[in-house]
Amino acid sequence: MSEQRFGEFVVVRKDGHVAELVLDRPKAMNAVSSEMARSIGAACDALAADPEVRVTVLTSSNDRAFCVGADLKERNSFTDAELVRQRPTARAAYTGVLELPMPTVAAVHGYALGGGFELALSCDVIVADATAVVGLPEVSVGVIPGGGGTQLLPRRVGAARAAELVFTARRVEAAEARELGLVDLLEEEARTAALELAGRIAANSPVGLRAAKKAMRLGQGLDLRAGLEVEDAAWRSVAFSGDRAEGVAAFNEKRKPNWPGE
């Protein structure tokens, strides 16, 4: 296993083909300051450029929170001009996670509120445990979800359900969150389950995984005919790959594939 630190508050651990992006500002329950946002963005840039990473798992080093959102103490000190200048830094952190090319899994233990829940929503699958409490409370402090929440949540649970959750700013505990589709899997221990899921995903073709994710992301919101064209383009991008040749050969030879990743 290798480990690389990005600034003071973010760590990336790699174990085989699975990377763990760890939010590591435990004293502040992972409140996202400007410095931490820059580190998340830098870590995501490094992961996106690493062909060995087949799955990324987003976790927390804090035993009470996944992430409680923006650092409101820092925000309270900003002038209007400073807030405007900080906005691209904040956005880059959330889009960095959202645009990772490989499958992503969030492991939610404890509070995932505001920007913290938006980081989880930016992942492909959200695994939670019984401690999880999620929500987008931004309107209760005079703003709106600004890390993708107004767009990602309706795509996940539908417009009316998302509107109720955003407009009331309410917090949702684990069992209800699973029932409403705010999280996908409810497990005994989120991080362990998320890493196990990542291991199962990582056994598959890295070329296939990235192409499948791209097809699903680009096709979202399109009509069926347009979506099928997106899928066809993605299929063509992998149909003549080394992974496809190896996968078919391994199947016929009744062995595990040794993916070339190209």
Side-chain angles (χ1 to χ4, degrees):
M1 179 183 291
S2 65
E3 181 173 305
Q4 182 179 3
R5 182 166 287 277
F6 292 82
E8 187 179 353
F9 302 130
V10 174
V11 178
V12 171
R13 301 189 185 109
K14 289 192 289 186
D15 186 3
H17 295 294
V18 175
E20 183 179 2
L21 196 167
V22 186
L23 305 176
D24 188 31
R25 196 186 177 199
K27 292 182 180 178
M29 298 176 75
N30 290 329
V32 182
S33 63
S34 297
E35 180 184 349
M36 186 172 179
R38 280 190 290 271
S39 296
I40 293 170
C44 288
D45 287 344
L47 287 166
D50 189 339
E52 293 299 311
V53 177
R54 297 180 187 173
V55 189
T56 295
V57 181
L58 187 58
T59 69
S60 164
S61 65
N62 184 274
D63 60 4
R64 293 184 56 211
F66 175 74
C67 173
V68 294
D71 185 340
L72 296 184
K73 290 183 179 179
E74 179 189 64
R75 294 282 178 90
N76 191 51
S77 71
F78 283 171
T79 64
D80 289 351
E82 287 170 335
L83 184 60
V84 169
R85 285 196 296 271
Q86 193 262 358
R87 176 61 176 161
T89 300
R91 284 197 69 185
Y94 299 103
T95 56
V97 175
L98 183 64
E99 294 178 359
L100 283 170
M102 74 290 291
T104 51
V105 182
V108 175
H109 176 86
Y111 295 107
L113 301 173
F117 189 36
E118 288 172 307
L119 286 171
L121 289 171
S122 296
C123 294
D124 298 304
V125 180
I126 302 175
V127 179
D129 57 35
T131 69
V133 179
V134 305
L136 296 175
E138 284 87 346
V139 298
S140 69
V141 293
V143 290
I144 69 166
T150 65
Q151 305 305 304
L152 294 169
L153 190 60
R155 284 167 167 78
R156 174 175 273 273
V157 300
R161 178 68 68 197
E164 182 263 321
L165 292 165
V166 171
F167 296 161
T168 61
R170 73 184 179 94
R171 300 179 179 191
V172 183
E173 295 188 359
E176 185 185 5
R178 174 65 185 90
E179 181 182 343
L180 297 180
L182 301 177
V183 304
D184 302 303
L185 300 170
L186 196 57
E187 302 288 351
E188 184 173 342
E189 206 286 308
R191 178 178 175 271
T192 299
L195 289 170
E196 288 176 352
L197 174 61
R200 295 198 299 274
I201 294 170
N204 295 309
S205 159
V207 169
L209 289 171
R210 291 183 180 221
K213 175 168 180 171
K214 185 175 182 180
M216 288 189 284
R217 286 288 179 90
L218 291 178
Q220 198 168 53
L222 300 179
D223 64 48
L224 180 58
R225 185 180 295 273
L228 290 173
E229 291 302 317
V230 168
E231 181 183 79
D232 186 65
W235 179 86
R236 291 174 186 277
S237 75
V238 301
F240 309 104
S241 67
D243 273 15
R244 183 262 181 186
E246 169 63 10
V248 172
F251 177 83
N252 283 289
E253 294 165 16
K254 296 180 173 58
R255 61 173 173 81
K256 289 184 178 181
N258 181 22
W259 304 115
E262 57 185 20

